[in-house]
Amino acid sequence: MNPILTCIIVDDEPLAVKLLESFVAKTPGLELVASYTDSVEAIAAVRSRHVDLLFLDIQMPDLDGMELARMVPEDTRVVFTTAFKEYAFESYEVSALDFLLKPIRYNKFLAAVEKARKWIPAANVAPPTADESTTIFIKVDGELRQIPLDRILYVNGMKDYVVFRIEGERKGLISHLTMKAVEDMLPPQRFMRVHRSFIVALAHIRSVDRNDCIYIGDEIIHVTEAYKEAFYQYLESKSVVRT
């Protein structure tokens, strides 16, 4: 029996993403973890969870596919998807599994998946869970910064940006991300959304008062109604009884 291969799609063209998503949907044994049109959001996700395959465009703003390919874990294989065949030679420098020229035909896509199956043994061990990751990369002031997960106190969303509050740092780190993207990249065993605009690090919570307020770092964060049930289930699982 063939192992289930997991994959992520990264392409700044929404139509190209939709085509690849349709290919994944009709390919047995291939599971789509996420799709991204923003390469910076994608690198954070790829480094914080295990995937077998990365279908990756090359020419993208901010962070191009060649740069991103050099940052992915060694056990994630890259399949480049591009309209420019001149990149074919360079793709071998980053040990790409395959190189698919646009417009991509399904038979070429399927051949790349089958090549990946030969690379990944059928008796593949279980992939590491997201909680085993120790760092994430976020783009701050035009550069990628590696942030240890255990130093993140909480994340605060502000329209199209988020602020990472880091233990020991006076100023927050501002990044152009959505709260949903941050929620996806952080391991749920260690972080929980408690408000439309706040994700907290569970290990850094000092106390929770009777008004549903969390005391963490120098901040007091109110747990809103939409998130109370999940949050108090977590507290009860830690033998904390709400009074």
Side-chain angles (χ1 to χ4, degrees), residues 6-152:
T6 55
C7 68
I8 283 179
I9 296 168
V10 186
D11 196 310
D12 65 328
E13 299 177 9
L15 288 178
V17 170
K18 291 295 183 186
L19 176 65
L20 289 173
E21 286 178 340
S22 71
F23 286 173
V24 173
K26 64 181 181 180
T27 303
L30 187 60
E31 178 183 321
L32 180 64
V33 172
S35 298
Y36 295 92
T37 54
D38 186 311
S39 56
V40 175
E41 288 186 17
I43 185 58
V46 171
R47 292 187 67 94
S48 64
R49 67 182 69 180
H50 173 88
V51 290
D52 299 307
L53 280 174
L54 180 62
F55 293 99
L56 180 60
D57 188 19
I58 293 179
Q59 282 202 335
M60 293 183 290
D62 294 328
L63 182 69
D64 70 35
M66 288 297 176
E67 293 174 308
L68 196 156
R70 292 184 174 92
M71 298 177 184
V72 301
E74 290 183 1
D75 57 351
T76 295
R77 301 312 295 252
V78 174
V79 175
F80 282 118
T81 60
T82 180
F84 302 95
K85 62 182 179 180
E86 57 266 31
Y87 288 112
F89 179 78
E90 190 178 352
S91 71
Y92 290 103
E93 295 181 3
V94 293
S95 301
L97 180 73
D98 213 335
F99 186 91
L100 302 179
L101 275 175
K102 297 177 180 178
I104 299 168
R105 297 182 180 275
Y106 180 61
N107 65 321
K108 298 291 186 182
F109 175 90
L110 194 57
V113 174
E114 291 308 312
K115 187 182 294 186
R117 291 196 193 285
K118 294 176 182 177
W119 172 76
I120 299 171
N124 204 8
V125 296
T129 64
D131 197 40
E132 291 173 355
S133 300
T134 59
T135 64
I136 59 171
F137 280 82
I138 60 173
K139 191 170 187 180
V140 180
D141 295 331
E143 66 178 17
L144 288 172
R145 278 197 58 177
Q146 184 171 207
I147 310 299
L149 292 178
D150 59 8
R151 289 187 57 209
I152 299 173

Side-chain angles (χ1 to χ4, degrees), residues 116-201:
R117 291 196 193 285
K118 294 176 182 177
W119 172 76
I120 299 171
N124 204 8
V125 296
T129 64
D131 197 40
E132 291 173 355
S133 300
T134 59
T135 64
I136 59 171
F137 280 82
I138 60 173
K139 191 170 187 180
V140 180
D141 295 331
E143 66 178 17
L144 288 172
R145 278 197 58 177
Q146 184 171 207
I147 310 299
L149 292 178
D150 59 8
R151 289 187 57 209
I152 299 173
L153 297 173
Y154 62 88
V155 184
N156 182 16
M158 301 187 305
K159 293 188 177 179
D160 296 328
Y161 293 85
V162 297
V163 180
F164 286 79
R165 293 292 176 181
I166 309 299
E167 185 179 32
E169 296 196 18
R170 185 174 58 86
K171 295 180 64 176
L173 303 179
I174 301 174
S175 186
H176 184 58
L177 290 167
T178 64
M179 285 293 283
K180 180 62 169 62
V182 175
E183 195 172 16
D184 287 344
M185 76 173 69
L186 294 175
Q189 297 90 339
R190 300 171 64 176
F191 294 86
M192 182 176 291
R193 194 165 183 175
V194 296
H195 185 285
R196 182 180 178 185
S197 300
F198 285 95
I199 297 171
V200 300

